[in-house]
Amino acid sequence: MLVAAAVCPCPPLLVPVIAAGAAPELDAARAACTDALGVLAAARPDRLVVVGPADEGGAGPYPEGTPGSFRGFGVDLGVCLGRERAAEETRELPPSLAVAAWLLERTGWSDAPIEGMGVAEPLGVERCIEVGRDIAGRAGRVALLVMGDASACRTVKAPGYLDARAEPFDAQVARALGAADVAALRALDTGLARELKVSGRAPWQVLAGAAQDAGLSGALLYEDAPYGVGYVVAAWS
């Protein structure tokens, strides 16, 4: 069953070498992510599952040891999901899971075996719930690291330009994640999330499925939109 969860944003800019001179702008977000991963470690899980958004080609499972890189963002930096080496034919991690792998390496995760799951945006609510239930049943004590961003429409310079619906949507998400409100996450408007370029909708609903009967409480550790994109960090235990 699910014993803990951490929710983190997944912009490659979290990696300081990619952000370069702008790196200090996300120092608070990085610190919050470190705190959230500490909650996972404290739960002493048997298995950690990392869930993040991916395109259709990147959806599906990733075994421990799967490599990833940030070369697509102009930086020659590689990461690995956990410590074991995967088979050489393994595909690379999608960007969201590469960011997760970087966070785990940065905090020295060694508390449980890891596996990854890429979730495509079109995945419907009920299927997300089913995936979450399946994940929660994979070990006696399962922890989730859930990657994803809120809206990308908070300012005129945001990737999706300014949309007046973005801020209230993000506030709804922050409340739900901060309160471990499974019903509120399940009820998120998938169409609106798509229009607001929300990458975290499907991963959050996978979390809702995994946490349905877990009785976890939540804490909101960070919420801001420094680049016009909503970033939320929360911990459930």
Side-chain angles (χ1 to χ4, degrees):
M1 66 176 291
L2 187 72
V3 295
V7 178
C8 295
C10 58
L13 288 172
L14 270 181
V15 181
V17 70
I18 296 176
E25 296 179 28
L26 288 180
D27 279 350
R30 291 185 197 97
C33 290
T34 298
D35 291 343
L37 290 180
V39 171
L40 298 186
R44 303 176 70 87
D46 301 319
R47 179 168 297 275
L48 172 64
V49 182
V50 183
V51 179
D55 60 26
E56 292 282 5
Y62 291 85
E64 183 157 22
T66 301
S69 80
F70 297 101
R71 295 182 188 90
F73 301 94
V75 173
D76 188 17
L77 174 64
V79 291
C80 182
L81 188 65
R83 295 186 174 182
E84 297 177 11
R85 186 174 297 278
E88 289 192 9
E89 65 271 14
T90 299
R91 56 185 177 162
E92 281 207 347
L93 297 169
S96 68
L97 298 189
V99 172
W102 178 82
L103 287 171
L104 291 165
E105 288 182 6
R106 178 174 181 259
T107 55
W109 179 271
S110 61
D111 300 271
I114 305 173
E115 61 183 274
M117 174 69 70
V119 183
E121 191 281 330
L123 200 66
V125 178
E126 293 307 317
R127 181 59 185 141
C128 288
I129 299 298
E130 291 174 9
V131 170
R133 286 176 181 157
D134 174 71
I135 289 172
R138 292 183 186 177
R141 298 179 65 80
V142 175
L144 270 178
L145 172 53
V146 183
M147 309 298 291
D149 300 338
S151 73
C153 303
R154 292 279 291 270
T155 68
V156 294
K157 293 184 177 180
Y161 197 67
L162 177 64
D163 190 315
R165 301 171 297 174
E167 189 167 353
F169 182 92
D170 288 358
Q172 176 189 4
V173 167
R175 281 194 300 270
L177 292 174
D181 190 334
V182 170
L185 291 177
R186 184 169 183 160
L188 289 175
D189 187 326
T190 58
L192 178 58
R194 188 177 304 114
E195 291 173 14
L196 295 176
K197 302 184 184 303
V198 176
S199 72
R201 189 277 305 171
W204 298 331
Q205 290 181 328
V206 169
L207 169 60
Q212 257 186 336
D213 302 312
L216 302 181
S217 59
L220 184 65
L221 305 182
Y222 176 88
E223 194 276 322
D224 202 356
Y227 303 110
V229 180
Y231 299 148
V232 179
V233 180
W236 294 15
S237 62

